[in-house]
Amino acid sequence: MDIKILGTGCANCRRLHQLAEEAVAEMGLQVPVEKVEDLRKIMGYGIMKTPAIVINEKVKASGRVPGKDEIKKFIQDEA
C-alpha cells in the first residue's frame, strides 16, 4: 500500500500527515506515509487545492483535512 500526503507544508498539510500516520498506527499497519511537497509532482495528480491524500495512486480527498475515521475508511477501501 502506498499513502501520500500532497501539500507544500502548510498547517493543514502537516495536520493531515499527522492524522494519516495516527490512522495507520491505530490500524496496526506498517505502511509509511510519504509527504510530497514538490509542486510538479502535486500537479501531476490533477488536484486544485492542497492538502490531499492519495492512496495507491488514487486521490481520496483534496482541499480539506478529512477526519481520522474517514482516513481509516479510505485505507480499508484500498486494502
Side-chain angles (χ1 to χ4, degrees):
M1 177 172 290
D2 181 44
I3 302 174
K4 297 176 183 168
I5 304 303
L6 311 181
T8 57
C10 67
N12 283 338
C13 300
R14 291 190 304 271
R15 178 73 179 139
L16 179 53
H17 185 259
Q18 177 185 356
L19 287 171
E21 286 189 328
E22 289 173 9
V24 166
E26 287 176 13
M27 295 174 77
L29 302 174
Q30 297 294 321
V31 178
V33 179
E34 179 184 350
K35 288 170 47 175
V36 178
E37 296 181 348
D38 182 283
L39 286 176
R40 290 182 193 262
K41 290 180 181 178
I42 292 170
M43 289 171 51
Y45 287 93
I47 63 165
M48 301 306 280
K49 292 185 176 182
T50 58
I53 182 167
V54 177
I55 302 176
N56 293 338
E57 296 303 311
K58 297 175 190 163
V59 177
K60 294 297 189 174
S62 69
R64 65 187 180 90
V65 178
K68 196 184 306 180
D69 288 337
E70 189 175 4
I71 294 170
K72 288 179 181 179
K73 176 146 179 29
F74 293 155
I75 293 169
Q76 289 171 344
D77 290 348
E78 290 298 320

